[in-house]
Amino acid sequence: MEKELSLTESFPETEDDKTSKLYITESGFPIVGIGASAGGLEALQSFLRNVSGKSGIAYILVQHLDPTHKGYLVDILNRETDMPVLQVTEGTAIEPNCVYIIPPNKDMSLFHGVLYLFEPVKSNGLRLPIDFLFRSLADDLKQQAIGVILSGMGSDGTLGLKAIKEGGGTIFAQDPVQAKFNGMPQSAIDTGLVDIILPVEELPLRIIAYHKNKSIIAKPEPDLVNKDRNSFEKIINLLRAATGHDFSLYKRTTIYRRIERRLGVHQIDDLAIYIRFIQENPSELQVLFKELLIGVTNFFRDSEAWETLKVKILPKLFSTNDQNQTLRAWVTGCSTGEEAYSLAIIFIEALELAKPQGNFSLKIFATDIDQDAIEKARQGFYADNITADITPERLDRFFTKKANGYQIRSDIRNMIIFATQNVIMDPPFTKIDILSCRNLFIYMTTELQKTLLTLFHHSLNPDGVLFLGSAETIGNLTDIYKPLEEKTRIYRRLAANPNNGLFQITPLRLSYSIDNPKADITQAKTQMHVINLEDAANQFIMQRYAPAAVLVNNKGDILYTSGPIGKYLAPAAGKANWNIFAMAREGLHSNLSKSFQEAVHQDKSITLKNIMIIDTNNDEKMATDVAIQPFAAPATLQNLVMIVFTDVNLPAKTKGTHQTKLSRNSKDRVVELELDLEKSHQELQNLRREMKSSEEELVTAYEELQSTNEELQSINEEITTSKEELQSLNEELLTVNYELQTKIDELSFANNDLKNLLESTDIATLFLDKALCVRRFTEQTTRIIKLIPGDVGRPITDIVTDLCYPELAEDAQEVLRKLTFTEKSVAASDNRWFLVRIMPYRTMEDKIDGIVITFSDITTSKILEASLRKQQGMLEKQIINKDKKINGVKKKTESRPQGQQNTKVNDT
């Protein structure tokens, strides 16, 4: 078996990557899919004429053929090439240096190097056999797929090219200028996904060169890993400087495949040369940036998931939300808008299916990093081949048929706000009910996926819905998401544990790290093994030899204990309190409190010697040394204090007999001293009680201050959260403002076009509403009807006119009633005549909203008509007079004798 080597071996591949290369690794030769229409025969002949019979490539050719006629394409193309040209039969195995042609009235797909035939399924009378083949190429060959579009009409192949591009394949297209029919090549080029555009006779050599160049690139070198990693970092750095977007946490294999494809396109066999090429051609960075975005999608991808969303998920949202509520949705990575429009359509259908009480609506925020894709999404216009993904019922209801495509209806379009946003860097939208992030995680590392899922948790409302792609999961974040439909990757947001850090949400700032993930995992496992051994050894030492110790924070709260601390600390009566000052035994408390504060404030180590500790339970005393050590490093132990207790052995008591005898005088002195000692002891006890009371008061004050501090911290967290929400709200307002500004600009352009159109026709036009009040008029109208700008809104019957047309209002009402137009010639002052045409005013939604009246000046025609009528009368009068003369002559001739008549006749 021939092994394929690739630049991507510099980084580990997933199992999916290995599976996708299964067939191409075994076969060792590339497969090229070629699409053309029935008018592309000349292009096919020219293409095969320039293909070498030993190129080592297999060619699959799909042409739009008449299903009722026998195909002669095999015989025609056999004359153009030395390679065998074969018409495909069921189960044909692909071999190199062969051309395979689709039979008439069949669809064809590739599976593990074998071609299979299917009966065509027509969608609205439109067959798309090229899309059918290209999609199977993308599924079977992944990044090894090559698609070629030649001369043809329509847009067949465009969706298939998107699938090839998404899988990392390469796309070639014939130059539309040279193509006999440029519809198919131009449709493919308009997507922005075509890699190479050339005349058809140059395409074969370029495809062969591309394949050979990839083989050169794939040759292994001893220092391939380190050299490629450095070059990879440089390219990522150049991309970030040129576009402002950091791809360092995207999957390295995906990025490497895109770079590898660009190397093949430019026939460059070294990454260092490609980096120099980028620096000399900045436009290449923009092309590579577009390659990495992989903006490929289609309507209702994974139809089963969409059906589940409509039938099960959305009805639950309706039942758990208040009536008359506007639900909010966020579609991340929306590309050219198909996902967002699909969600809007599904929402409308779910409303009709569930029929909830109240008036629910949906506002969708659709975002993407690609500005060009967002512009296309805003237009809402798609090619004819979307019929492969949308049912005829949905096409008829939600789309309007236009030339060469379909336009989304305005009511669906108005549900969506499109905006450019980097989901990794920019603030997120908040208070979202439905968050769709489909087929975006598959290009990102696990760490970035987890971070974004945490960010989405912050964006979603309680019980909000997260909608992922079929190849994506929530990983181990099962504590914040619950699967509603595991098979369709639909999840419900759960309330987060406050201790898991999910509430510290800020826009991400990616670290620039290009380390080997596999090496990191191995290193982590090794470190974990060492740490476990160290823990076991340290535990043994602490149990056998280490003194008793307590780790506290700078407030004295106990965080960790080691050794027998019961001799020095005891739980205080009442509510549990794990503060060391409350638990210190008698004799330790006063000394420890003062020294602890001094050690913390001055950040120095303090040791207390021979502290006498009294155990009140058995009235025993013991001496101990207490060491107080604040931590400044490492970072994990900053602001913590370690207190270590070390027992001190007291000298043994000496026994003996006191033989000194006191005199009588000294006995009185002893009694006096004993009384003084008792008094001092009582004063000391009172002082201790007062100190204890003061200490308790101080502890109470400290607890109140601590409570106040916690409240302030809580308020600070709320303010931070409010700030983030305001930032997100500001982002939404900016997005809405931009959308409105775009609509205003479009409206301004349309208004200017309408004004210029009306002025250029030089036809007086008057627009009235249903009440026959003036809505708009052109400048020419003021020469007929005495209108000024202030007359807008006034009834037309109140305005003076030069027309002799008193029944104008009646005719207008008649047009509104019958919805048919009328046309009359009407005289005006100054001997002018006008052709008055009254028509209903129809909106884009096919509603009647008034009247349009046009006044065409026909004065010249009327003058010519009058002149012609006058000349006609004169001619008729002359003819009558002439007839009278002839009749008179005849009568005179008849009254004369016969001879005179003959003479007269002869004379005549």
Side-chain angles (χ1 to χ4, degrees):
M1 180 184 296
E2 182 180 348
K3 186 178 186 302
E4 182 196 42
L5 294 173
S6 170
L7 284 172
T8 53
E9 290 186 353
S10 302
F11 302 103
E13 293 182 337
T14 64
E15 291 300 323
D16 291 339
D17 296 329
K18 296 175 181 177
T19 302
S20 67
K21 291 188 175 183
L22 175 63
Y23 170 65
I24 193 67
T25 303
E26 293 177 351
S27 64
F29 61 89
I31 298 174
V32 178
I34 304 173
S37 74
L41 179 58
E42 295 179 6
L44 290 173
Q45 290 175 310
S46 180
F47 183 92
L48 293 179
R49 199 178 298 130
N50 291 274
V51 174
S52 170
K54 299 181 180 179
S55 62
I57 301 174
Y59 300 90
I60 306 174
L61 195 154
V62 175
Q63 186 186 27
H64 293 168
L65 302 172
D66 188 341
T68 62
H69 288 75
K70 181 181 178 181
Y72 298 98
L73 190 59
V74 174
D75 297 333
I76 295 173
L77 297 182
N78 257 322
R79 307 168 192 158
E80 307 295 340
T81 178
D82 296 335
M83 296 184 295
V85 180
L86 309 171
Q87 183 166 289
V88 175
T89 57
E90 183 67 26
T92 300
I94 298 290
E95 295 182 4
N97 300 319
C98 293
V99 179
Y100 300 91
I101 297 178
I102 187 173
N105 199 29
K106 293 290 183 182
D107 283 340
M108 182 168 60
S109 70
L110 178 71
F111 183 73
H112 288 179
V114 178
L115 291 171
Y116 296 92
L117 300 177
F118 298 87
E119 293 297 326
V121 178
K122 297 183 179 180
S123 177
N124 282 4
L126 183 66
R127 279 195 58 216
L128 304 170
I130 302 176
D131 280 330
F132 195 88
L133 173 67
F134 282 3
R135 286 184 172 185
S136 70
L137 284 178
D139 293 337
D140 206 52
L141 303 180
K142 303 297 182 184
Q143 67 270 17
Q144 303 294 339
I146 299 176
V148 181
I149 291 292
L150 302 181
S151 174
M153 299 179 65
S155 59
D156 190 12
T158 302
L159 290 180
L161 292 182
K162 290 182 179 181
I164 290 176
K165 193 71 170 184
E166 184 178 15
T170 310
I171 301 170
F172 296 80
Q174 182 181 0
D175 189 347
V177 177
Q178 182 220 31
K180 184 176 181 180
F181 301 99
N182 64 359
M184 285 171 50
Q186 192 62 55
S187 176
I189 293 169
D190 289 343
T191 63
L193 302 177
V194 177
D195 296 297
I196 297 176
I197 305 168
L198 287 173
V200 64
E201 58 272 7
E202 299 180 23
L203 285 175
L205 296 178
R206 193 59 179 272
I207 293 172
I208 294 172
Y210 170 77
H211 171 58
K212 289 182 178 179
N213 196 70
K214 286 194 69 174
S215 301
I216 295 174
I217 297 172
K219 289 182 178 179
E221 299 180 23
D223 59 342
L224 185 63
V225 174
N226 294 331
K227 187 177 75 171
D228 284 350
R229 181 175 290 112
N230 293 335
S231 299
F232 179 83
E233 292 176 355
K234 290 180 181 178
I235 295 174
I236 295 297
N237 194 14
L238 290 172
L239 275 171
R240 183 174 60 179
T243 65
H245 300 294
D246 193 340
F247 290 92
S248 59
L249 287 184
Y250 279 58
K251 288 184 179 177
R252 295 164 180 81
T253 52
T254 300
I255 298 177
Y256 236 115
R257 291 191 195 111
R258 293 324 189 259
I259 295 174
E260 191 177 53
R261 255 177 14 88
R262 298 307 301 169
L263 292 174
V265 168
H266 294 294
Q267 301 184 37
I268 298 174
D269 57 1
D270 187 85
L271 279 179
I273 298 176
Y274 182 63
I275 292 174
R276 187 166 65 249
F277 177 79
I278 289 176
Q279 293 173 321
E280 296 173 354
N281 301 272
S283 60
E284 175 65 17
L285 277 174
Q286 296 298 326
V287 176
L288 181 58
F289 174 63
K290 293 286 187 182
E291 288 274 343
L292 295 176
L293 295 183
I294 322 172
V296 179
T297 185
N298 54 275
F299 285 95
F300 302 103
R301 176 185 293 190
D302 304 326
S303 58
E304 183 179 351
W306 287 105
E307 191 66 20
T308 301
L309 187 68
K310 179 179 75 172
V311 176
K312 297 181 180 180
I313 307 303
L314 287 177
K316 291 182 181 178
L317 279 180
F318 299 149
S319 62
T320 56
N321 283 274
D322 297 333
Q323 298 181 8
N324 303 321
Q325 180 178 347
T326 298
L327 301 179
R328 292 158 59 89
W330 180 16
V331 180
T332 63
C334 68
S335 188
T336 49
E338 288 89 337
E339 288 278 346
Y341 289 126
S342 298
L343 179 58
I345 292 172
I346 286 293
F347 178 81
I348 297 297
E349 294 179 346
L351 274 180
E352 297 174 350
L353 182 66
K355 297 179 180 179
Q357 294 181 354
N359 185 19
F360 285 93
S361 60
L362 180 66
K363 176 61 69 177
I364 302 174
F365 300 96
T367 62
D368 196 272
I369 197 175
D370 189 353
Q371 178 65 37
D372 295 337
I374 288 295
E375 292 298 332
K376 291 182 180 179
R378 286 197 179 107
Q379 295 172 7
F381 181 81
Y382 299 95
D384 287 327
N385 49 20
I386 64 171
T387 56
D389 302 313
I390 304 178
T391 62
E393 294 78 12
R394 284 174 174 162
L395 277 175
D396 294 338
R397 180 178 178 186
F398 300 108
F399 293 83
T400 302
K401 185 69 176 77
K402 301 287 185 181
N404 301 323
Y406 290 88
Q407 178 74 52
I408 197 79
R409 290 183 66 91
S410 59
D411 55 337
I412 301 297
R413 173 65 183 87
N414 293 335
M415 295 172 62
I416 306 172
I417 294 176
F418 291 99
T420 305
Q421 183 198 42
N422 186 337
V423 69
I424 302 174
M425 305 292 290
D426 296 333
F429 293 94
T430 57
K431 297 181 179 179
I432 299 299
D433 298 290
I434 306 170
L435 200 156
S436 173
C437 181
R438 291 167 52 75
N439 302 301
L440 179 63
F441 286 170
I442 58 178
Y443 307 113
M444 298 177 176
T445 61
T446 304
E447 294 80 3
L448 182 55
Q449 292 179 28
K450 184 176 181 180
T451 305
L452 287 179
L453 285 169
T454 305
L455 184 73
F456 292 162
H457 185 274
H458 171 73
S459 297
L460 284 167
N461 285 329
D463 295 328
V465 175
L466 176 66
F467 191 17
L468 299 181
S470 59
E472 300 164 331
T473 65
I474 58 171
N476 60 354
L477 297 180
T478 54
D479 56 335
I480 60 175
Y481 291 106
K482 177 183 179 181
L484 294 176
E485 290 289 335
E486 185 70 33
K487 185 177 181 181
T488 55
R489 302 294 193 266
I490 301 177
Y491 302 88
R492 178 170 64 87
R493 178 192 187 273
L494 301 177
N497 184 352
N499 297 324
N500 62 7
L502 285 176
F503 296 100
Q504 301 176 355
I505 301 297
T506 55
L508 306 179
R509 295 292 182 267
L510 300 182
S511 60
Y512 191 71
S513 173
I514 315 294
D515 296 332
N516 190 329
K518 183 177 288 185
D520 292 343
I521 294 172
T522 303
Q523 183 179 4
K525 290 181 178 179
T526 304
Q527 291 176 351
M528 182 63 69
H529 181 66
V530 173
I531 290 173
N532 291 338
L533 292 176
E534 291 177 356
D535 287 346
N538 291 336
Q539 188 71 19
F540 177 80
I541 293 172
M542 286 188 294
Q543 290 176 354
R544 293 295 183 91
Y545 306 105
V550 180
L551 180 66
V552 299
N553 59 18
N554 54 9
K555 299 175 184 177
D557 297 325
I558 297 175
L559 305 178
Y560 177 79
T561 63
S562 175
I565 64 170
K567 295 187 295 184
Y568 318 102
L569 305 176
K575 184 179 179 180
N577 188 350
W578 284 92
N579 189 276
I580 192 170
F581 304 119
M583 298 180 65
R585 291 188 180 276
E586 187 176 351
L588 175 64
H589 183 277
S590 59
N591 295 286
L592 179 63
S593 177
K594 181 180 179 180
S595 301
F596 181 86
Q597 296 299 329
E598 182 181 356
V600 170
H601 292 310
Q602 298 182 11
D603 194 18
K604 67 176 183 179
S605 177
I606 295 178
T607 302
L608 304 177
K609 295 289 187 178
N610 296 325
I611 302 299
M612 298 300 298
I613 300 177
I614 302 175
D615 188 348
T616 57
N617 293 331
N618 49 27
D619 200 24
E620 292 183 356
K621 294 183 179 180
M622 56 183 174
T624 184
D625 292 343
V626 181
I628 305 173
Q629 175 65 58
F631 286 103
T636 54
L637 295 179
Q638 286 182 357
N639 300 321
L640 301 181
V641 181
M642 180 68 76
I643 301 175
V644 180
F645 302 96
T646 305
D647 292 340
V648 178
N649 295 324
L650 294 175
K653 294 182 179 180
T654 58
K655 298 181 179 180
T657 304
H658 183 59
Q659 300 177 353
T660 305
K661 295 183 179 180
L662 300 176
S663 62
R664 186 177 297 274
N665 294 332
S666 61
K667 288 182 179 180
D668 296 336
R669 180 63 179 167
V670 169
V671 172
E672 182 180 355
L673 290 174
E674 287 179 351
L675 292 174
D676 290 340
L677 181 61
E678 183 67 22
K679 181 179 179 181
S680 299
H681 181 71
Q682 291 178 357
E683 291 177 352
L684 181 60
Q685 291 295 330
N686 292 333
L687 181 61
R688 285 182 175 177
R689 283 194 293 269
E690 291 176 0
M691 289 180 62
K692 187 173 183 180
S693 177
S694 299
E695 184 179 352
E696 290 175 353
E697 292 177 359
L698 288 174
V699 170
T700 303
Y702 171 75
E703 291 175 351
E704 292 177 356
L705 290 174
Q706 189 175 15
S707 176
T708 304
N709 183 52
E710 291 174 354
E711 291 178 1
L712 290 175
Q713 288 180 349
S714 176
I715 293 172
N716 183 52
E717 291 177 358
E718 292 177 1
I719 292 174
T720 302
T721 303
S722 299
K723 179 184 176 182
E724 294 170 357
E725 292 180 355
L726 287 174
Q727 190 175 10
S728 298
L729 180 60
N730 182 54
E731 181 79 14
E732 295 178 17
L733 291 176
L734 289 175
T735 301
V736 173
N737 181 60
Y738 182 79
E739 182 79 10
L740 292 175
Q741 187 62 45
T742 302
K743 291 185 177 180
I744 290 172
D745 293 341
E746 293 175 356
L747 182 61
S748 178
F749 289 140
N751 190 46
N752 290 335
D753 292 342
L754 177 62
K755 182 179 178 182
N756 282 277
L757 174 63
L758 294 175
E759 295 293 339
S760 63
T761 57
D762 199 27
I763 297 176
T765 306
L766 175 63
F767 296 90
L768 305 178
D769 59 17
K770 289 183 178 181
L772 301 186
C773 295
V774 177
R775 176 184 288 167
R776 182 194 289 254
F777 56 87
T778 62
E779 182 66 26
Q780 293 84 349
T781 311
T782 59
R783 302 170 190 170
I784 306 169
I785 303 175
K786 307 303 182 182
L787 288 167
I788 60 174
D791 289 332
V792 174
R794 292 181 59 193
I796 189 62
T797 54
D798 294 350
I799 302 172
V800 178
T801 176
D802 292 341
L803 295 173
C804 300
Y805 193 8
E807 61 274 10
L808 174 63
E810 296 177 3
D811 289 350
Q813 290 287 1
E814 188 69 12
V815 169
L816 280 176
R817 188 175 64 84
K818 294 184 177 181
L819 301 181
T820 58
F821 73 91
T822 65
E823 191 175 78
K824 288 185 179 180
S825 298
V826 179
S829 60
D830 300 331
N831 297 322
R832 292 181 297 166
W833 282 84
F834 294 92
L835 179 63
V836 181
R837 185 182 178 92
I838 307 175
M839 298 170 291
Y841 181 97
R842 294 181 183 271
T843 65
M844 293 293 294
E845 290 77 20
D846 199 23
K847 296 180 180 179
I848 305 301
D849 194 27
I851 290 293
V852 181
I853 306 176
T854 59
F855 305 89
S856 302
D857 193 341
I858 57 172
T859 303
T860 304
S861 300
K862 284 292 184 180
I863 293 173
L864 291 174
E865 182 181 354
S867 176
L868 290 173
R869 288 184 182 278
K870 184 177 180 181
Q871 292 179 11
Q872 182 182 6
M874 293 176 62
L875 290 173
E876 289 176 351
K877 187 176 181 180
Q878 290 177 3
I879 292 171
I880 291 171
N881 292 334
K882 189 172 182 180
D883 288 342
K884 287 180 178 181
K885 289 180 181 180
I886 293 173
N887 291 334
V889 172
K890 287 182 177 180
K891 289 179 180 180
K892 289 179 181 181
T893 304
E894 291 174 356
S895 63
R896 290 180 183 178
Q898 185 68 32
Q900 293 181 359
Q901 290 180 15
N902 294 335
T903 304
K904 184 64 176 178
V905 172
N906 293 333
D907 292 341
T908 301

